[in-house]
Amino acid sequence: MKIYVVYDSEGGHTEALAEAIAEGAREVEGAEVYMHHVDNANVRDLAAMDAIIWGCPGHFGTISAGLKTWIDKLGYLWAEGKLVDKIGAVFCTTATEHGGIEATMLNLITPMLHQGMIIVGLPANLPENALYGSYYGVGITCPVETSPDDPPNLPSGSDLALGRALGRRVAQTTKRFTDAQT
């Protein structure tokens, strides 16, 4: 079972969340996880994957330019139906509360729906999602640093728990889906 995590990260916040998601996915037996920054990710690799999780920093309620440019290269996969029925999930980080987390995640989900993918989010019955989560994926706030010289305000332990929960859920869902096909 192959899971591809691709992310854009500008200050390390989204990369830390991507690592937690990959860690959660690896907890599920049989999961083989590939994790790449958009600068090193190849869209052609997606055809061989069973699940794809992508995320980025939210910019004014929408996808970062780096990830959007990468997603825009998926046209030939769409034309050939290469991503139909693959499991998909999304994540994002923002600098402020109410900074467009859910709008960004919905914007991240839209290309997956165009590809015919099956979207997995986080249900309310997961303890990690009870207080500060989203049903659309994982969206967290990492406040802006007061000075460029300050260390980054990386995701909290609770934020990373949400990431691990999403990775686990995607891997568990993918496992059920791929086992049913064999």
Side-chain angles (χ1 to χ4, degrees):
M1 164 177 64
K2 295 179 180 180
I3 300 171
Y4 201 88
V5 179
V6 62
Y7 66 94
D8 188 15
S9 188
E10 297 155 0
H13 309 93
T14 311
E15 181 176 16
L17 184 56
E19 288 171 355
I21 290 166
E23 181 183 321
R26 286 185 189 106
E27 293 175 9
V28 177
E29 184 180 341
E32 190 176 336
V33 180
Y34 303 84
M35 190 175 103
H36 297 285
H37 186 278
V38 292
D39 292 344
N40 303 315
N42 185 343
V43 296
R44 297 192 182 275
D45 292 341
L46 299 182
M49 299 297 132
D50 299 300
I52 302 157
I53 307 169
W54 61 48
C56 64
H59 292 274
F60 309 106
T62 194
I63 305 170
S64 69
L67 186 59
K68 179 67 169 87
T69 298
W70 187 83
I71 289 170
D72 285 347
K73 296 175 185 174
L74 299 177
Y76 90 94
L77 292 169
W78 171 83
E80 296 181 11
K82 297 287 188 182
L83 303 184
V84 172
D85 290 339
K86 295 196 184 286
I87 304 297
V90 301
F91 61 100
C92 75
T93 60
T94 60
T96 60
E97 287 186 35
H98 312 293
I101 288 174
E102 289 188 341
T104 301
M105 285 191 284
L106 289 170
N107 281 308
L108 287 166
I109 288 170
T110 300
M112 290 183 166
L113 292 171
H114 280 257
Q115 294 285 346
M117 296 173 67
I118 300 164
I119 309 303
V120 173
L122 285 176
N125 67 341
L126 288 177
E128 297 90 347
N129 204 34
L131 293 177
Y132 185 66
S134 172
Y135 307 117
Y136 307 115
V138 174
I140 62 168
T141 301
C142 299
V144 174
E145 294 78 17
T146 54
S147 164
D149 299 326
D150 288 346
N153 291 322
L154 294 175
S156 70
S158 298
D159 296 335
L160 297 177
L162 280 169
R164 286 188 296 277
L166 180 66
R168 250 187 330 272
R169 181 160 161 75
V170 168
Q172 290 165 343
T173 302
T174 304
K175 185 175 179 73
R176 282 194 299 269
F177 196 79
T178 55
D179 286 352
Q181 292 180 340
T182 56

